[in-house]
Amino acid sequence: HKSLISNARVGRIHTPHGIIDTPGFVGVGTNGTMKFIDNVMTEKIGLQLMFCNTLHLMIYPGTELIREAGGLHKHINRKLPIITDSGGFQVFSLAYGSVERDLKGRGKGSGTNLIKKITEEGVMFRSYYDGKLIHLTPETSVLAQKDLGADIIIPLDELNPYHIKREAQLLSFHRTHRWQKRSLDVHIS
């Protein structure tokens, strides 16, 4: 269908675990579960797509363990599509605090000291769970999402705070573009 007023249109995304009608509601299951509702109920109410956080699942219980157990769908008893993120937003939160604090001008340095460095290679930080050093790169992010068996994966980006200077934002934009290319290369290899 296409709107005669705005030219907006609906779509259908076909995945190995089912069809996603767009636009649509996406439930957030940070660690593979939504609060107060199990995945049997999400299927009954017609929630076509669930969003799960790769970084949290990398840290605990680990994407390799989930892959060995048959993938995230089996691990959380979900038959319908799953989308995962790259971990970039969680890294932003570790570095700068919440988006809300940043937009209100209180985000400068309000995060934790878990971020060690952000380079062309990726992001080095300490796990909030056990303090272990983690090197998140475009490649490790894509491979982790493939370990999970997500239907839709998101490449790593560098999400910056609102208060960043224009020059730094441009450098970050170009780095993110290079990271996108690396993500695609590892995905199709």
Side-chain angles (χ1 to χ4, degrees):
H1 174 76
K2 185 175 180 181
S3 168
L4 299 175
I5 297 168
S6 69
N7 288 328
R9 58 185 192 261
V10 296
R12 299 192 99 196
I13 302 171
H14 295 261
T15 77
H17 290 95
I19 295 172
I20 305 161
D21 293 309
T22 66
F25 177 77
V26 180
V28 177
T30 299
N31 291 308
T33 59
M34 293 176 57
K35 294 186 189 237
F36 308 111
I37 187 169
D38 66 21
N39 284 314
V40 174
M41 182 58 71
T42 65
E43 189 174 330
K44 284 182 183 175
I45 63 173
L47 182 70
Q48 294 178 316
L49 185 61
M50 179 190 252
F51 181 92
C52 298
N53 297 99
T54 301
L55 187 65
H56 293 301
L57 292 165
M58 283 175 70
I59 289 174
Y60 185 82
T63 58
E64 299 86 6
L65 182 68
I66 293 172
R67 182 192 70 233
E68 291 168 7
L72 189 56
H73 287 86
K74 186 173 181 184
H75 179 69
I76 66 172
N77 191 28
R78 179 166 173 81
K79 296 178 180 132
L80 298 173
I82 294 173
I83 182 172
T84 51
D85 66 344
S86 67
F89 183 80
Q90 286 74 28
V91 169
F92 168 89
S93 298
L94 290 173
Y96 300 105
S98 72
V99 172
E100 176 189 14
R101 287 183 53 82
D102 186 57
L103 290 174
K104 291 180 178 177
R106 298 189 305 253
K108 297 180 183 180
S110 64
T112 67
N113 62 356
L114 296 175
I115 296 291
K116 297 305 172 192
K117 64 181 173 177
I118 300 174
T119 67
E120 185 66 29
E121 184 59 28
V123 183
M124 185 77 67
F125 62 96
R126 293 220 173 264
S127 164
Y128 58 80
Y129 180 73
D130 60 9
K132 183 175 98 178
L133 198 59
I134 297 172
H135 192 198
L136 184 65
T137 68
E139 294 83 5
T140 59
S141 175
V142 167
L143 293 173
Q145 292 176 79
K146 289 178 103 165
D147 278 352
L148 294 171
D151 297 282
I152 301 173
I153 63 175
I154 306 296
L156 184 63
D157 58 339
E158 184 179 1
L159 181 62
N160 290 308
Y162 178 72
H163 62 269
I164 194 169
K165 294 197 182 309
R166 187 180 193 312
E167 299 78 27
Q169 185 66 43
L170 281 171
L171 290 172
S172 175
F173 170 79
H174 292 296
R175 174 183 291 159
T176 293
H177 189 261
R178 291 187 297 272
W179 283 1
Q180 306 299 298
K181 171 76 168 86
R182 288 169 50 195
S183 296
L184 181 60
D185 288 347
V186 75
H187 177 64
I188 60 177
S189 66

